[in-house]
Amino acid sequence: MKKFFLLFICLYSSLCFGQKVTSSLNKLAQKSYLQANKYIGDKAYPMAVAELKKAVSEDDKFSAAYQQLGDLYRRMGDYPNAVVSYRQVLAIDPDFYNVTYFGLGESELNTGDYANALTHFRRYASSQGLSDESKIKTGKYIADCLFSLEAIKKPVSFKPVNMGTGVNSIQDEYLPV
């Protein structure tokens, strides 16, 4: 019975240490993080960002708050700030979540940092257990990065010419009619 109990304690403690910490010991940081999650549920993203900023100012090692902040910035199309937040997550814990590499890669792709985006997409693609949908999307983004890096090496000059009043007008002409 003692051996069983000792084995149980050892296994239980290894499970506890193997889990990712998604909370903060700082009560003010944790309170802001939880409030941000409520705002996210209500789709009040700017208010959620403000709460997450409070959380990371209270606990600068709160990787879950930085991850959430990066996800929010990316959802709102603020890719430069998303890059900063995701890089902070990786600085704290490079193995926090593999999806951090995808978010960082997508944000870098949207800011024109194709080389770093490619590195991060490849890292994410090497993760175990990705869904088929994730594999397809990541593969497309990797192809986009490769194309962009090659296109930058061989720029093509483009000088649009107004075709005159028979074709062009002062109106927005974005429909082919």
Side-chain angles (χ1 to χ4, degrees), residues 29 32-37 39-40 45-59 62 64-73:
S32 291
Y33 180 74
L34 294 173
Q35 184 61 47
N37 284 328
Y39 285 138
I40 291 168
Y45 301 138
M47 295 170 80
V49 166
E51 288 296 327
L52 289 167
K53 284 182 176 181
K54 282 185 204 173
V56 298
S57 71
E58 291 292 333
D59 181 357
F62 195 178
Y66 281 113
Q67 176 73 37
Q68 190 78 286
L69 195 53
D71 292 343
L72 275 175
Y73 281 135

Side-chain angles (χ1 to χ4, degrees), residues 20-51:
K20 298 290 181 189
V21 178
T22 58
S23 61
S24 174
L25 297 176
N26 182 309
K27 290 183 180 184
L28 292 174
Q30 185 63 29
K31 181 179 176 185
S32 291
Y33 180 74
L34 294 173
Q35 184 61 47
N37 284 328
K38 289 178 185 175
Y39 285 138
I40 291 168
D42 294 337
K43 295 188 181 350
Y45 301 138
M47 295 170 80
V49 166
E51 288 296 327

Side-chain angles (χ1 to χ4, degrees), residues 2-173:
K2 281 186 177 182
K3 288 182 182 179
F4 177 74
F5 182 71
L6 185 59
L7 179 64
F8 175 75
I9 295 296
C10 290
L11 289 175
Y12 182 74
S13 64
S14 69
L15 287 174
C16 291
F17 289 112
Q19 295 177 349
K20 298 290 181 189
V21 178
T22 58
S23 61
S24 174
L25 297 176
N26 182 309
K27 290 183 180 184
L28 292 174
Q30 185 63 29
K31 181 179 176 185
S32 291
Y33 180 74
L34 294 173
Q35 184 61 47
N37 284 328
K38 289 178 185 175
Y39 285 138
I40 291 168
D42 294 337
K43 295 188 181 350
Y45 301 138
M47 295 170 80
V49 166
E51 288 296 327
L52 289 167
K53 284 182 176 181
K54 282 185 204 173
V56 298
S57 71
E58 291 292 333
D59 181 357
D60 65 347
K61 300 293 185 207
F62 195 178
S63 52
Y66 281 113
Q67 176 73 37
Q68 190 78 286
L69 195 53
D71 292 343
L72 275 175
Y73 281 135
R74 189 166 48 110
R75 181 178 291 162
M76 295 182 336
D78 186 352
Y79 298 109
N81 278 322
V83 167
V84 171
S85 295
Y86 288 130
R87 286 185 179 163
Q88 189 64 36
V89 173
L90 297 178
I92 296 166
D93 182 3
D95 298 319
F96 182 66
Y97 283 123
N98 64 344
V99 76
T100 305
Y101 289 97
F102 181 86
L104 178 55
E106 188 175 56
S107 300
E108 290 168 335
L109 178 65
N110 282 293
T111 58
D113 188 359
Y114 306 116
N116 282 323
L118 180 61
T119 300
H120 293 121
F121 283 131
R122 285 182 171 160
R123 169 80 187 255
Y124 177 72
S126 69
S127 302
Q128 298 295 319
L130 294 181
S131 69
D132 290 340
E133 183 180 338
S134 291
K135 290 176 186 176
I136 291 169
K137 192 169 191 176
T138 305
K140 183 211 177 295
Y141 282 160
I142 288 172
D144 289 348
C145 290
L146 291 170
F147 172 82
S148 298
L149 288 168
E150 285 302 311
I152 288 171
K153 291 177 187 175
K154 303 171 193 163
V156 177
S157 65
F158 176 68
K159 296 182 182 169
V161 177
N162 188 318
M163 301 299 290
T165 58
V167 175
N168 298 117
S169 71
I170 60 170
Q171 305 301 318
D172 289 334
E173 296 162 339

